[in-house]
Amino acid sequence: MSRIAFILLCHKDPAAIIDQAERLTAVGDYISIHFDARAKPEHFAMIKEALGPNPNVAFAKKRIKCGWGEWSLVEASLYAVEAAVDAFPRATHFYMLSGDCMSVKTAEYAHEFLDSNDCDFIESFDFFESDWIKTGIKEERLVYRHWFNERNNKWLFYKSMEWQQRLGLTREIPHDIDVQIGSQWWCLRRETVEAIIDFTKRRKDVMRFFATTWIPDETFFQTLVRHLVPGKEIQTRTLTFLMFTDYGMPVNFYNDHYDMLVAQDFLFARKISPEAKELRARLGELWASEDVDFRISGEGRNLYKFLAGRGRVGRRFAPRFWEAEATLGRHRELMIMVCKKWHVAKRLLDQIKQRVDVAGVEYLFEEEGTPLPDLGGIQSSLDKRARHRRVLVRMLYDVYQTDRMILCMDPSNLDLLQDFMSDRSTTKVLEINCDFSDDYLAGHAKRTGLAGDHTTDDQLDRLVPTLRNDLHHELDRIRDQDYENYHRINESGDPEENADALARFLEIDRNTALEIMQIHYLFSD
């Protein structure tokens, strides 16, 4: 059976570290601790006194002053790993943790999982080809030498890189390695860890290279594992569940996240808030439990994003300076049909185009596959369409050789709607207000990744009212704008009244509008 040696990097909260170490080792596993040399000496003394007698606890042979983004984090990890290899000969796996991590499964489940998967778990994506790095410098992390910390010495960090650029002091990456990148939270087999330790002793050139790269904890182990282990023995994923906010900050988990966390296909989660006492207690008890049946689902990230966004309304795309004075044209008319059920709006648009001489485009800003003419690449992605929205729509007017056009839009895109409604063109809105049954909302949750096949009925029962309120809230936000040219049709409304609203919106005769609204399958799901 597998035995795990946890590699714990920490720098604060000695009481929590002691609790974590005692809990993880109580079931027969091990832990090797590196406590930051910058931390208070009395805190380390407290940890040593409490855990020193525990034979399943080891300490890094040397303590390093760690800094974010620096080689010191990798160096500290290596010291802790070497201590674990020496102290725990029966350890089969080595699992990197921080003081903010906690288990979200039982030890029994974790051991069975590792026994049935003979591989290393580490994110490792091609550094240059992947889009893992979203913002900031990329190639510069490797080809220039970094002696200063960007957070503590920003001026020196960028000035030293600037001088290297001016003097052409780029360097070669060791020729026989392909640099990889990924999360620093890995789980590796013993033979892999021993091969890494041996490599660090043999290849001083590689060690010197990584020692002056920027943020090497995202590249060092990731690269060496790919270099030393056959690809078929690597799963490019982490076993630690973690998420980031829209602003690139780690998400903290609180007491009400317990059900979501234990349902994810991960063994640990990061970061558990220090204030989440109840969550910490429940997860702590869970690790030592036996015969627990976990219903695994994969909607955690989508569900968190949905729930965290309630009540937070912000602009998704800021206007670009070159579009500030752009306009669709005073002589043009833009008619926007707002509907949450996309298939309903598409049917209505199809019926309109069959009877009225007007151009129409389906969900231009929401659906990647919306049929569009070639517009020189501006239509190639949703991000580009939204970023250059007025330019894009002007081009569509020109391509279709018309001054009247209909767009379908999701009610969640209030920022786009506001932008178009503020244009000098004549802009109208038709709200298509649909009914939403519980079954439809449950299906919607699964289609959008908020629920999975293993989501329980109780979880769906709690989610459905939130979804319904959210859909109502989206429409209320639009109605609160009090637009002048605003019209509404209702699924449960009177066909005659719906026809009147459609006739005003399209400026067509009432009989044609009534003919369109009497299509029996218009609102069918």
Side-chain angles (χ1 to χ4, degrees):
M1 187 182 76
S2 62
R3 300 283 289 274
I4 307 171
F6 294 101
I7 309 301
L8 178 63
L9 299 188
C10 48
H11 65 281
K12 62 180 180 179
D13 202 352
I17 293 168
I18 294 168
D19 177 69
Q20 186 179 39
E22 291 177 339
R23 180 178 65 255
L24 294 175
T25 58
V27 295
D29 290 314
Y30 313 103
I31 192 166
S32 179
I33 300 173
H34 179 277
F35 193 70
D36 197 328
R38 297 181 190 275
K40 295 180 179 179
E42 58 268 28
H43 286 175
F44 184 59
M46 177 180 172
I47 295 170
K48 287 277 285 188
E49 181 181 0
L51 298 177
N54 189 330
N56 286 12
V57 176
F59 292 90
K61 297 176 182 178
K62 184 177 180 180
R63 292 172 59 207
I64 303 297
K65 292 182 178 180
C66 296
W68 185 90
E70 296 178 3
W71 170 250
S72 55
L73 285 175
V74 176
E75 193 175 14
S77 302
L78 287 172
Y79 279 123
V81 166
E82 289 173 353
V85 169
D86 292 342
F88 312 126
R90 297 179 62 190
T92 61
H93 294 77
F94 295 76
Y95 196 123
M96 177 67 74
L97 290 176
S98 76
D100 297 318
C101 297
M102 286 200 71
S103 56
V104 293
K105 296 292 185 296
T106 62
E108 180 182 64
Y109 181 99
H111 293 148
E112 290 177 355
F113 179 88
L114 294 176
D115 286 339
S116 60
N117 291 276
D118 184 19
C119 59
D120 297 309
F121 293 89
I122 183 168
E123 284 189 350
S124 52
F125 305 97
D126 187 279
F127 185 93
F128 295 100
E129 298 298 327
S130 72
D131 62 347
W132 203 85
I133 298 175
K134 302 296 184 184
T135 59
I137 62 175
K138 186 173 182 178
E139 291 85 354
E140 294 87 346
R141 290 191 186 190
L142 306 180
V143 299
Y144 298 113
R145 297 165 180 84
H146 299 278
W147 299 285
F148 305 101
N149 191 300
E150 192 264 351
R151 288 191 172 183
N152 302 330
N153 298 290
K154 187 181 290 288
W155 186 86
L156 285 173
F157 179 89
Y158 287 105
K159 185 58 66 175
S160 68
M161 190 165 64
E162 178 188 331
W163 276 107
Q164 291 179 75
Q165 290 171 332
R166 288 185 179 184
L167 297 173
L169 298 178
T170 58
R171 59 175 176 174
E172 294 292 329
I173 297 170
H175 71 278
D176 59 336
I177 65 169
D178 295 319
V179 180
Q180 306 287 306
I181 191 166
S183 167
Q184 61 268 51
W185 311 111
W186 40 255
C187 178
L188 305 177
R189 296 167 298 174
R190 186 180 192 90
E191 54 267 34
T192 301
V193 167
E194 290 175 341
I196 290 173
I197 293 174
D198 179 65
F199 183 92
T200 63
K201 295 175 180 177
R202 290 187 292 106
R203 294 295 301 272
K204 298 302 181 182
D205 60 322
V206 175
M207 299 297 283
R208 287 192 296 272
F209 170 77
F210 278 107
T212 51
T213 59
W214 182 235
I215 319 183
D217 55 313
E218 294 180 349
T219 55
F220 179 79
F221 289 100
Q222 296 77 1
T223 300
L224 265 59
V225 170
R226 281 287 171 189
H227 182 76
L228 298 168
V229 179
K232 63 182 180 180
E233 297 180 22
I234 302 172
Q235 285 203 29
T236 309
R237 57 161 295 192
T238 173
L239 296 180
T240 299
F241 181 65
L242 67 161
M243 297 189 299
F244 293 89
T245 68
D246 295 342
Y247 306 101
M249 300 299 293
V251 167
N252 282 277
F253 297 112
Y254 295 93
N255 293 335
D256 57 348
H257 290 133
Y258 178 85
D259 290 334
M260 182 190 78
L261 290 176
V262 299
Q264 303 314 306
D265 188 19
F266 295 87
L267 303 184
F268 282 74
R270 182 179 189 273
K271 291 182 164 184
I272 308 299
S273 171
E275 288 78 32
K277 305 295 186 183
E278 179 185 339
L279 177 61
R280 287 180 169 269
R282 294 180 71 184
L283 292 177
E285 293 174 2
L286 179 66
W287 178 249
S289 302
E290 297 180 351
D291 300 324
V292 178
D293 181 27
F294 293 97
R295 298 176 64 88
I296 304 300
S297 62
E299 75 279 0
R301 288 187 171 88
N302 289 334
L303 183 58
Y304 180 88
K305 184 177 180 181
F306 167 73
L307 294 175
R310 303 312 92 197
R312 177 174 57 81
V313 180
R315 292 187 64 84
R316 190 173 312 176
F317 302 102
R320 270 46 178 180
F321 70 90
W322 60 81
E323 293 184 333
E325 296 301 322
T327 179
L328 302 182
R330 292 182 183 275
H331 61 291
R332 284 172 169 160
E333 184 176 13
L334 181 64
M335 294 168 281
I336 301 174
M337 299 198 307
V338 175
C339 184
K340 196 66 181 181
K341 289 186 177 180
W342 294 6
H343 61 279
V344 173
K346 289 178 181 180
R347 286 176 191 156
L348 182 57
L349 178 60
D350 181 63
Q351 293 299 319
I352 292 172
K353 289 166 68 175
Q354 291 182 33
R355 295 168 174 81
V356 182
D357 182 20
V358 63
V361 182
E362 295 177 357
Y363 284 85
L364 173 65
F365 299 105
E366 294 85 3
E367 196 167 30
E368 196 90 50
T370 297
L372 290 171
D374 184 1
L375 301 173
I378 195 174
Q379 82 292 344
S380 60
S381 70
L382 291 178
D383 182 57
K384 285 186 177 180
R385 295 178 200 174
R387 194 162 60 240
H388 308 291
R389 47 190 173 269
R390 293 197 188 189
V391 174
L392 174 65
V393 174
R394 284 206 311 271
M395 293 174 73
L396 288 173
Y397 278 114
D398 293 337
V399 168
Y400 294 136
Q401 297 182 345
T402 184
D403 288 330
R404 300 185 75 217
M405 187 162 56
I406 300 174
L407 295 183
C408 298
M409 189 174 292
D410 191 279
S412 63
N413 274 340
L414 177 61
D415 54 333
L416 294 177
L417 182 61
Q418 287 174 325
D419 189 23
F420 285 122
M421 290 301 291
S422 65
D423 191 77
R424 296 169 185 167
S425 63
T426 301
T427 311
K428 303 177 181 178
V429 175
L430 177 67
E431 173 195 323
I432 306 173
N433 188 16
C434 300
D435 298 333
F436 298 97
S437 66
D438 288 353
D439 287 342
Y440 179 87
L441 291 174
H444 176 73
K446 293 179 178 179
R447 287 189 296 273
T448 56
L450 300 178
D453 293 336
H454 298 295
T455 303
T456 65
D457 291 340
D458 288 343
Q459 290 172 322
L460 278 176
D461 288 343
R462 293 196 297 270
L463 182 59
V464 163
T466 305
L467 271 173
R468 177 174 281 107
N469 289 337
D470 184 64
L471 299 183
H472 288 322
H473 175 66
E474 288 178 350
L475 287 176
D476 284 341
R477 288 169 58 206
I478 295 175
R479 293 167 185 167
D480 289 343
Q481 303 301 308
D482 197 25
Y483 293 128
E484 180 179 355
N485 295 316
Y486 193 89
H487 311 276
R488 181 187 305 148
I489 61 176
N490 298 285
E491 178 177 355
S492 55
D494 180 73
E496 302 279 341
E497 294 179 357
N498 284 342
D500 289 340
L502 184 64
R504 292 192 299 271
F505 175 69
L506 295 173
E507 296 182 6
I508 59 175
D509 64 88
R510 189 173 180 279
N511 289 335
T512 302
L514 188 59
E515 182 182 350
I516 294 172
M517 291 307 306
Q518 286 179 334
I519 301 297
H520 67 88
Y521 57 84
L522 181 61
F523 290 99
S524 299
D525 290 332

